[in-house]
Amino acid sequence: MTQSTLSEFVSTLTDYDPNALPVAQAQRIVQDFVQPILGIETVAIWQALDRVLAADVISPISVPAHDNSAMDGFAFQGADLLPDAATTLAIKGTVFAGKAFDGSVGRGECVRIMTGAVMPAGCDTVVPQEFTQNASDSAVTVPQGVVRTGDNRRLMGEDLKEGRAALTQGRILRPADLGLLASLGISQVMVQRRLRVAFFSTGDELRSLGDTLDPGCIYDSNRYTLFGMLTRLGCELIDMGVVKDDPASLEAALRSACANADAIITSGGVSVGAADYTKQIMAQLGDVTFWKIGMRPGRPMAFGTITSKGKTAYLFGLPGNPVAVMVTFYFFARDALLRMMGASSAPLPLLRAASTADIRKKPGRTEYQRGILSTDAQGNPVVRITGSQGSGVLRSMSEANCMVVLRHEQGNVHAGDLVDVVVFDGLT
Ligand code: AMP
Ligand code: MG
């Protein structure tokens, strides 16, 4: 990192209060502070799904490469169409997809043509087979008014023009993009290397799956949620398990994470008054700020960098509550990780939907409520808040299909009011 430290960075901001940080300001700080971690590799397009494109892909050819027919029918010159009567054309031959017609087509003539076949020289219009009348081997009639000049013809380069960027750097490759690359004859692309993310849970009360659940203990669920969210983002994962709340274990874990990863994500131990050492060790090993964000759930969060043996990694110290982990991941860590991955900005798709019920909301903090988005009898989007919104209720997160985002300034919502909704499918 060539830039200033996080402490220097935040000291330049006006209205910065780490103990009452509005969501938008925290998001901006995270987004402005993290830098792309670039490293390029070439992969076959089979391996390129969900990867970040490292360079523009310039189209080596035009697609389609020739004018061609969009229908099965007859190709002819539009100028032959009689303005106020049916037009009868003499059939000169047949052209199939993948073939070109090598004869010439003159006035009053046509060629039987199949979808995708190259338009014969001189032809600019195709009449679909089903619109024609009296077709024989030698002639066909085009009724008046069924086609106009240029109809049913796909133009060369209509999809893509040779020499133009077909896909741009920073794009996260989707299924359609793989098809597009294949249509250009491109079998491999340059992508950014995967981002390496180390993650662990902190807390003496946590037990791993397979361990006995001693009295007062709980299973570590955050690591599994994080595993899912990070996998969806396409990161390379370093699962470091559960780390005990003791200084030596935490220090060893953070140093090891730092040695192996570009980013470290922890959960737990960052709230006020927690009887743990997480904050202390994080502060000791790096340039970390501890925030109380104006949001619910997920108020406490640590953010910054950890340095060990000359190597620096970004740190997201997420709160311990299972729902708070997901909310802080989606609304702070996700965009930052994408930026580190070299992806161009991919803002979460927002929808507006009518709330089915009143929602109590205090202005002065952002609330993320778990919701179920559906459509009403008229087909309009409506959203219902799931039962309990307690920050530890993972079941409601699992039932929900979206988050309702109630902005900082917003007050109570009345049934029927439109609210912002982020659909989980868009959150991956
Ligand atoms: P903390 O932020 O460490 O004070 O944790 C807040 C709450 O979340 C406590 O009730 C913890 O038991 C719970 N918690 C912390 N880490 C996890 C985890 N990995 N899985 C499930 N619950 C957790
Ligand atoms: Mg804890």
Side-chain angles (χ1 to χ4, degrees):
M1 262 166 287
T2 52
Q3 64 177 103
S4 58
T5 65
L6 181 59
S7 341
E8 285 162 11
F9 183 74
V10 293
S11 69
T12 64
L13 305 172
T14 48
D15 295 339
Y16 172 72
D17 178 359
N19 290 313
L21 198 62
V23 163
Q25 198 180 6
Q27 285 173 327
R28 215 172 313 121
I29 294 172
V30 171
Q31 205 54 13
D32 288 350
F33 185 69
V34 299
Q35 299 297 319
I37 292 168
L38 302 177
I40 293 175
E41 58 192 33
T42 299
V43 296
I45 60 173
W46 294 119
Q47 265 78 52
L49 186 64
D50 292 335
R51 301 293 298 271
V52 177
L53 201 58
D56 288 358
V57 172
I58 305 299
S59 186
I61 53 172
S62 288
V63 179
H66 308 276
D67 290 2
N68 69 87
S69 177
M71 303 292 278
D72 290 340
F74 298 88
F76 62 100
Q77 237 180 90
D80 285 346
L81 288 168
L82 299 175
D84 42 21
T87 307
T88 296
L89 301 163
I91 302 173
K92 293 281 296 199
T94 301
V95 58
F96 293 94
K99 297 274 190 310
F101 182 71
D102 47 19
S104 65
V105 183
R107 302 301 306 256
E109 295 176 340
C110 71
V111 170
R112 189 184 283 273
I113 194 165
M114 304 306 151
T115 305
V118 177
M119 288 292 280
C123 295
D124 58 9
T125 307
V126 172
V127 57
Q129 168 108 35
E130 56 271 28
F131 290 173
T132 60
Q133 289 172 348
N134 310 324
S136 69
D137 284 349
S138 57
V140 65
T141 299
V142 184
Q144 189 201 335
V146 297
V147 281
R148 287 162 309 176
T149 298
D151 279 0
N152 306 308
R153 169 189 53 166
R154 300 184 190 128
L155 293 173
M156 171 180 162
E158 181 177 287
D159 211 5
L160 279 167
K161 290 212 168 33
E162 182 183 336
R164 294 266 184 85
L167 294 170
T168 50
Q169 178 183 346
R171 184 177 181 84
I172 300 173
L173 294 170
R174 300 179 303 142
D177 301 329
L178 303 189
L180 176 65
L181 290 165
S183 78
L184 300 177
I186 294 172
S187 60
Q188 47 184 33
V189 281
M190 289 201 292
V191 294
Q192 301 293 355
R193 74 161 170 81
R194 286 186 195 278
L195 194 73
R196 283 191 281 275
V197 182
F199 62 112
F200 59 85
S201 300
T202 68
D204 287 342
E205 76 281 24
L206 302 178
R207 291 293 173 272
S208 292
L209 298 185
D211 289 353
T212 330
L213 206 55
D214 301 318
C217 290
I218 55 170
Y219 287 120
D220 168 19
S221 60
N222 288 345
R223 220 152 35 86
Y224 293 85
T225 319
L226 280 169
F227 160 83
M229 296 187 295
L230 288 165
T231 300
R232 285 258 174 107
L233 268 190
C235 301
E236 197 176 295
L237 305 188
I238 304 170
D239 176 3
M240 300 184 62
V242 174
V243 175
K244 291 279 173 216
D245 264 336
D246 75 71
S249 310
L250 286 163
E251 174 166 353
L254 283 172
R255 285 193 188 280
S256 153
C258 195
N260 297 305
D262 305 305
I264 307 166
I265 299 191
T266 66
S267 73
V270 292
S271 53
V272 279
D276 41 29
Y277 301 96
T278 315
K279 289 169 76 171
Q280 186 189 317
I281 301 297
M282 284 178 177
Q284 204 174 300
L285 292 184
D287 173 32
V288 179
T289 66
F290 299 92
W291 288 337
K292 288 193 204 99
I293 304 174
M295 67 188 285
R296 216 173 78 143
R299 230 158 84 82
M301 193 177 108
F303 171 65
T305 57
I306 295 283
T307 303
S308 174
K309 296 193 179 135
K311 195 176 166 300
T312 296
Y314 291 102
L315 171 80
F316 296 87
L318 307 184
N321 270 309
V323 175
V325 164
M326 296 193 76
V327 171
T328 48
F329 180 89
Y330 281 143
F331 294 96
F332 296 97
R334 177 188 176 276
D335 278 356
L337 294 172
L338 285 171
R339 180 160 160 73
M340 284 176 222
M341 289 159 65
S344 33
S345 109
L348 293 172
L350 269 184
L351 261 162
R352 301 273 287 166
S355 176
T356 57
D358 293 350
I359 308 173
R360 291 180 59 190
K361 161 73 171 63
K362 272 197 216 152
R365 68 182 184 204
T366 305
E367 288 191 16
Y368 298 93
Q369 306 233 0
R370 285 138 269 170
I372 298 176
L373 184 70
S374 59
T375 46
D376 65 11
Q378 286 72 47
N380 298 313
V382 290
V383 66
R384 178 168 61 84
I385 298 301
T386 61
S388 168
Q389 294 287 322
S391 62
V393 187
L394 209 43
R395 181 176 56 85
S396 64
M397 197 74 181
S398 170
E399 280 170 5
N401 62 8
C402 68
M403 299 289 319
V404 174
V405 184
L406 302 172
R407 307 282 171 194
H408 192 83
E409 300 306 338
Q410 178 157 7
N412 289 335
V413 172
H414 302 290
D417 287 355
L418 291 177
V419 289
D420 283 344
V421 165
V422 177
V423 182
F424 280 161
D425 278 340
L427 285 172
T428 54

